[in-house]
Amino acid sequence: MARAKKLWRPLKGWHPSEWVAFKNVWQRAEKVIGSDLWLMQRDLRQEFVDGRLIMAVRFFAPNGTETMAIVLEPACWQWLRINDASSITGWEAIPEWEADAHKEETWDFRVRRRESDELYPDADRKGPAGPPGPTGPAGRQGLQGNPGAGATGPTGPVGATGPRFADSPSYGRKPGQKITGNWRLHAAAELHRIREEERTTPTALELAEWVDNKLGYFPDPSEVRKLIRFLLSD
């Protein structure tokens, strides 16, 4: 029994956050060691032999009762062999090991997180959140919604022409009669066709003129420009 104490010790206090499933460690080690099975079996076992990794084993009876939980000492690995992510053999050769006592039980292999995270970091495990970054620039303005379908009131008298802003461009034509359809849908379809077939992007004025020829309505080129930017931002 004195020798057995050097080969394993009882696991006192089970804290799941302190241990990682052996299958998970195998997957992490494979990214470092490589997919060659022989190298994985050899190099991963050597980590336990040298004490750079620590393994615990929990045993469960068929009814789910935990019967024993131990931590393997590095000396124990001189008899053990790792076959794959779910198979470790050689237990029957360990002195003082009761090979038949756990034959019908379920074995749960765990590796202590402290050492495994240092040797084989978990790329999927996120660290603590950092401080908030600076506020980004404002997004693009969305399309204007269609007005509600309320009742149309009587037409009021024509008011006097107001002053024109200095930076307001003149395009040499008056807007046509307002259409009931959504000109933006037609303009978006034509923009898509031109980019797909002609491999170019029309200007806002060119697209506004196309809408005028197609629908008899000349939209404000600034609104067309907003539409182009919105569609090309995706």
Side-chain angles (χ1 to χ4, degrees):
M1 294 300 295
R3 186 178 183 183
K5 290 181 180 179
K6 296 180 181 179
L7 300 180
W8 67 83
R9 66 179 186 273
L11 174 61
K12 297 179 181 179
W14 169 248
H15 303 287
S17 61
E18 298 177 359
W19 299 87
V20 184
F22 179 61
K23 290 183 179 181
N24 183 283
V25 175
W26 175 282
Q27 293 171 355
R28 291 197 230 164
E30 195 171 29
K31 297 177 182 179
V32 177
I33 300 174
S35 57
D36 186 281
L37 180 59
W38 180 84
L39 280 177
M40 280 290 295
Q41 293 169 337
R42 177 195 178 280
D43 291 357
L44 191 55
R45 173 182 175 273
Q46 194 63 42
E47 302 289 8
F48 291 103
V49 172
D50 296 338
R52 289 189 293 268
L53 288 178
I54 304 298
M55 176 171 285
V57 187
R58 304 170 70 201
F59 302 87
F60 296 90
N63 62 2
T65 303
E66 183 177 293
T67 60
M68 187 171 72
I70 60 174
V71 177
L72 303 182
E73 299 290 355
C76 190
W77 284 92
Q78 61 184 298
W79 292 282
L80 298 179
R81 296 292 180 271
I82 297 177
N83 300 312
D84 53 42
S86 59
S87 175
I88 300 176
T89 56
W91 303 91
E92 66 282 354
I94 300 175
E96 306 296 334
W97 182 266
E98 298 179 2
D100 295 332
H102 308 287
K103 193 173 183 179
E104 302 299 326
E105 295 180 339
T106 299
W107 299 32
D108 179 32
F109 301 112
R110 298 279 171 161
V111 182
R112 196 160 62 184
R113 184 182 297 277
R114 184 171 61 205
E115 292 82 6
S116 63
D117 282 358
E118 182 177 351
L119 280 176
Y120 308 115
D122 187 357
D124 297 329
R125 193 180 183 200
K126 298 181 179 178
T135 302
R140 295 181 175 87
Q141 180 177 347
L143 294 176
Q144 294 182 348
N146 291 327
T152 302
T155 302
V158 178
T161 302
R164 184 178 184 86
F165 290 103
D167 59 351
S168 179
S170 176
Y171 298 99
R173 65 173 71 198
K174 296 180 181 179
Q177 183 181 2
K178 191 171 183 179
I179 60 176
T180 57
N182 191 341
W183 65 266
R184 292 179 177 84
L185 294 178
H186 296 278
E190 178 62 8
L191 174 64
H192 177 75
R193 185 197 66 78
I194 293 175
R195 286 178 57 83
E196 289 292 321
E197 298 180 6
E198 302 178 14
R199 301 298 180 182
T200 186
T201 301
T203 65
L205 182 57
E206 291 173 343
L207 197 56
E209 290 175 344
W210 180 89
V211 173
D212 186 29
N213 294 332
K214 177 72 174 180
L215 304 175
Y217 171 72
F218 187 81
D220 189 336
S222 64
E223 294 297 322
V224 180
R225 188 177 300 108
K226 293 177 183 178
L227 175 65
I228 294 175
R229 291 176 179 174
F230 176 82
L231 295 174
L232 298 186
S233 65
D234 295 337

